[in-house]
Amino acid sequence: MHPFGPEATSDPHPIHARLREDSPAHEIPLGPNLNAWLITRYDDARRALNDPRLSKSVKDAPVRTSGGWPDELRRAMDSHMLSADPPNHTRLRKLVSSVFTARRIADLRPDVQRISDELLDGFAGRDEVDLIGEYAFPLPLQVICELLGVPIDDRDSFRTWSNTIIASALAQGDALAAATSMNDYVRELIARKRAEPDHALLSGLISAADEGDRLSEDELTSLVFLLLLAGHETTVNLIGNGVYLLLSHPDRMAHLRANPEQLSPAIEEFLRYESPVKTSTIRMATEPVEFDGVTVPAGAVVMISLLSANHDPAAFADPERFDPARTDNQHLAFGHGIHYCLGAPLARLEGQIAFTGLLERFPKLRAAQPLDELAWRPGALLRGLDRLPVMLH
């Protein structure tokens, strides 16, 4: 009954239900001589996400070092705000917030709309497409690359590197090679933007850093890694998982198509029911922390199952029912507390535009193969499909 094992990849919800019933915290194996405590209940998860005793500054934790990655590369990838506690976290988040503003996100709407329209235009004359590879992936990837100022010719490389790193983050081999290549590229990109600044977000980050915020090169490189990976991988899964849920419930898809004003609560239900991020990034207990009578010892690695928490019947009425009209949907898909996802407004904007265009243009959208035969991406972190073949007409 391992929540990250092969048996949980396609349908983790029954396993999560048993874990929630059995105990508020479970010690699970992550690898040879490497365990973590998994938090699965909603109230515990919400508290843990904002508990200062559960540190995010875990660069030397066994789960970080067990992959054998060179220290220089780990620092370049992992010196961002998701791996920091206050006051360092406060400093890093303030810097990103200063350039990743609500106004900047709102100003992206025409660009997101244009990219969505261009991708959907590319489906003309075709009956079948892979909605992941041809829509859910390129849309947010192109948006975040345009936002950062990454040259268009380099975006396919980013997609390959990102997929490889996410798929095997604890391995050496392909993941190490991909991370090395991505790190080299990001370093060179920062140098180019420093020499020839533009109006994109990356130049804004470099300017803010150079004007006194004293970001190290590792911190700046890590921020780019974080924005590129988190800025598109999660939205890929939001779009893909949402379409999967609608294909699984054609009556709800028809209702949503006829009532497009209800798309906002539907997106929140997509986020709850098949959360794009299954499990939070790791924390480490700086002292013993108790969860409903179970004590996680000091020094333990802690992971929080957002997907399980979002199906907790103590927090959601009839949680196994997919209800796009669900109200008061206080899901944890974007986290909670000081580490709440800074990109949540952008993900929601991309989701609104992506689903609106798809439902308007293709009223006969349907699955091209049995949904129970689709392959979900393995791993502890993300919840998403490898492919989603659909018939358009």
Side-chain angles (χ1 to χ4, degrees):
M1 197 171 66
H2 197 297
F4 308 141
E7 69 279 7
T9 299
S10 60
D11 186 10
H13 305 305
I15 290 176
H16 287 158
R18 291 197 293 272
L19 290 173
R20 286 193 305 270
E21 290 175 6
D22 289 347
S23 177
H26 296 263
E27 190 174 16
I28 60 171
L30 292 183
N33 303 313
L34 181 61
N35 290 350
W37 286 82
L38 185 69
I39 311 302
T40 57
R41 296 176 183 172
Y42 181 90
D43 286 344
D44 294 328
R46 185 179 172 91
R47 177 166 65 87
L49 287 166
N50 203 35
D51 191 326
R53 297 172 298 175
L54 299 178
S55 171
K56 295 299 294 289
S57 184
V58 291
K59 295 180 180 63
D60 297 321
V63 72
R64 289 293 195 214
T65 60
S66 61
W69 289 34
D71 288 344
E72 180 181 355
L73 181 60
R74 286 197 299 117
R75 288 194 302 269
M77 293 184 66
D78 212 21
S79 298
H80 50 68
M81 57 191 176
L82 271 188
S83 296
D85 300 322
N88 196 35
H89 169 270
T90 308
R91 175 178 67 92
L92 294 171
R93 189 173 178 105
K94 181 179 179 181
L95 172 66
V96 180
S97 299
S98 71
V99 291
F100 195 51
T101 61
R103 174 64 182 273
R104 188 187 285 267
I105 293 171
D107 288 347
L108 282 173
R109 179 176 285 276
D111 294 322
V112 179
Q113 188 67 63
R114 170 182 52 81
I115 295 167
S116 173
D117 289 343
E118 289 173 352
L119 291 169
L120 294 176
D121 288 345
F123 294 166
R126 299 178 59 190
D127 291 324
E128 181 177 337
V129 299
D130 170 22
L131 210 61
I132 301 294
E134 300 180 72
Y135 190 54
F137 255 122
L139 172 58
L141 180 60
Q142 192 166 335
V143 170
I144 198 65
C145 285
E146 289 195 8
L147 177 64
L148 283 168
V150 173
I152 191 168
D153 292 342
D154 299 332
R155 291 171 191 172
D156 285 344
S157 295
F158 266 113
R159 179 179 172 186
T160 300
W161 294 332
S162 173
N163 284 348
T164 306
I165 293 167
I166 290 293
S168 51
L170 291 179
Q172 293 183 340
D174 291 343
L176 178 57
T180 301
S181 297
M182 191 170 179
N183 178 55
D184 292 343
Y185 176 85
V186 170
R187 296 278 200 198
E188 293 172 7
L189 180 64
I190 289 170
R192 292 204 307 269
K193 295 291 184 180
R194 185 170 273 134
E196 300 177 5
D198 54 26
H199 296 292
L201 181 64
L202 179 53
S203 290
L205 287 169
I206 293 170
S207 175
D210 289 349
E211 288 174 5
D213 280 308
R214 299 180 182 175
L215 257 71
S216 68
E217 286 299 297
D218 284 338
E219 288 173 335
L220 191 53
T221 305
S222 294
L223 278 175
V224 178
F225 271 117
L226 178 63
L227 292 169
L228 279 167
L229 293 176
H232 88 275
E233 284 282 359
T234 51
T235 307
V236 171
N237 293 346
L238 165 59
I239 297 170
N241 296 358
V243 174
Y244 166 83
L245 286 166
L246 292 177
L247 294 172
S248 305
H249 302 82
D251 57 328
R252 314 262 171 88
M253 180 160 60
H255 179 81
L256 194 57
R257 185 179 283 114
N259 300 274
E261 71 281 359
Q262 296 180 14
L263 185 56
S264 290
I267 288 174
E268 301 308 311
E269 182 70 345
F270 302 154
L271 288 163
R272 182 195 74 83
Y273 198 95
E274 293 292 2
S275 308
V277 179
K278 286 194 292 192
T279 312
S280 70
T281 52
I282 68 169
R283 289 158 166 79
M284 188 156 55
T286 59
E287 60 183 83
V289 182
E290 183 178 321
F291 294 95
D292 196 18
V294 175
T295 299
V296 173
V301 171
V302 177
M303 304 175 74
I304 301 159
S305 178
L306 308 179
L307 186 60
S308 175
N310 286 338
H311 281 254
D312 189 343
F316 300 95
D318 198 4
E320 300 308 320
R321 179 171 60 92
F322 170 61
D323 181 9
R326 187 183 295 271
T327 59
D328 191 29
N329 194 342
Q330 301 297 313
H331 61 75
L332 299 177
F334 291 123
H336 174 67
I338 65 170
H339 292 287
Y340 182 83
C341 178
L342 198 64
L346 177 57
R348 289 184 168 111
L349 172 64
E350 291 171 326
Q352 284 273 350
I353 291 173
F355 286 104
T356 298
L358 199 62
L359 293 174
E360 284 182 352
R361 291 207 193 195
F362 304 107
K364 295 183 179 179
L365 184 72
R366 62 195 187 278
Q369 70 179 71
L371 293 174
D372 59 4
E373 295 179 2
L374 295 174
W376 292 84
R377 299 166 73 184
L381 185 60
L382 298 179
R383 174 77 174 153
L385 292 160
D386 276 329
R387 299 179 66 252
L388 181 53
V390 297
M391 303 299 296
L392 301 174
H393 307 290

